Amino acid sequence: YNYTKKLSELLCGYLSIIPTYEIETKAMPVPAYVKNDNTLTYGPLILNEILSNNKICYSVIGIDEKFKNYEEIAVPEKVNDIPIVSVSGNGFSNMNNIKTIYLPETISSLEGKPFSGCLALENLYLLSARPPLIANSLLSDANTSCKINVLSSAYREYRAGYTWSKYKSNLTSFEKESIIIEINKLLTCL
């Protein structure tokens, strides 16, 4: 968005016209709005625009206050065709009632203590075929007995990962098809 905005301003300057800005929403059930230059709220998610591998992506940096009591949340793979690739240090912090979180296959890192204060968290579903980068504090200040559900095809890789070894007892495997309906139902509500 910022790149497009800057390009638009540059072109408008050459053509001596005044630019107008719109965010393309592509049939989103909940309108997205920009809080500032790099932050977007999409349903319950507060997203920050970041660069990852020289591409514009989003990171989950928080949950809108009015959604803090949700028991289940599914993070979409993309918003406005921009992938969500990480969850920041306090992305889901203090969601006291959250029991289940579904993270898409586009997630490549879970930073700091993303689930701090999520004491009711029972299930974390990771749809990524490759283990995301994590700190040793993944479940710090959260329910440390939370099940970390990973794709059956990736289970061995998660168990073998150096930083994931701390969570071997939390890891369980699942087949993606077994939860697709639930994820789609949650994403339809966004």
Side-chain angles (χ1 to χ4, degrees), residues 37-53:
D37 285 341
N38 296 347
T39 305
L40 173 89
T41 299
Y42 178 78
L45 305 173
I46 301 173
L47 306 170
N48 192 45
E49 193 176 275
I50 61 171
L51 276 178
S52 177
N53 297 322

Side-chain angles (χ1 to χ4, degrees), residues 33-126:
Y33 61 91
V34 175
K35 283 188 159 183
N36 64 41
D37 285 341
N38 296 347
T39 305
L40 173 89
T41 299
Y42 178 78
L45 305 173
I46 301 173
L47 306 170
N48 192 45
E49 193 176 275
I50 61 171
L51 276 178
S52 177
N53 297 322
N54 293 321
K55 294 179 183 173
I56 295 174
C57 301
Y58 285 126
S59 177
V60 176
I61 61 169
I63 301 297
D64 191 305
E65 284 299 318
K66 60 185 168 227
F67 298 98
K68 287 278 188 171
N69 289 324
Y70 272 34
E71 291 185 2
E72 276 188 303
I73 286 187
V75 175
E77 288 184 7
K78 296 179 180 183
V79 172
N80 298 336
D81 290 326
I82 298 174
I84 298 175
V85 298
S86 67
V87 178
S88 75
N90 292 312
F92 290 95
S93 67
N94 299 316
M95 290 193 69
N96 301 323
N97 297 325
I98 194 76
K99 292 182 180 177
T100 304
I101 298 172
Y102 300 93
L103 297 177
E105 59 188 275
T106 53
I107 295 292
S108 60
S109 70
L110 300 168
E111 302 162 8
K113 299 178 181 181
F115 311 108
S116 176
C118 297
L119 300 176
L121 185 60
E122 297 170 356
N123 284 289
L124 174 62
Y125 284 89
L126 300 170

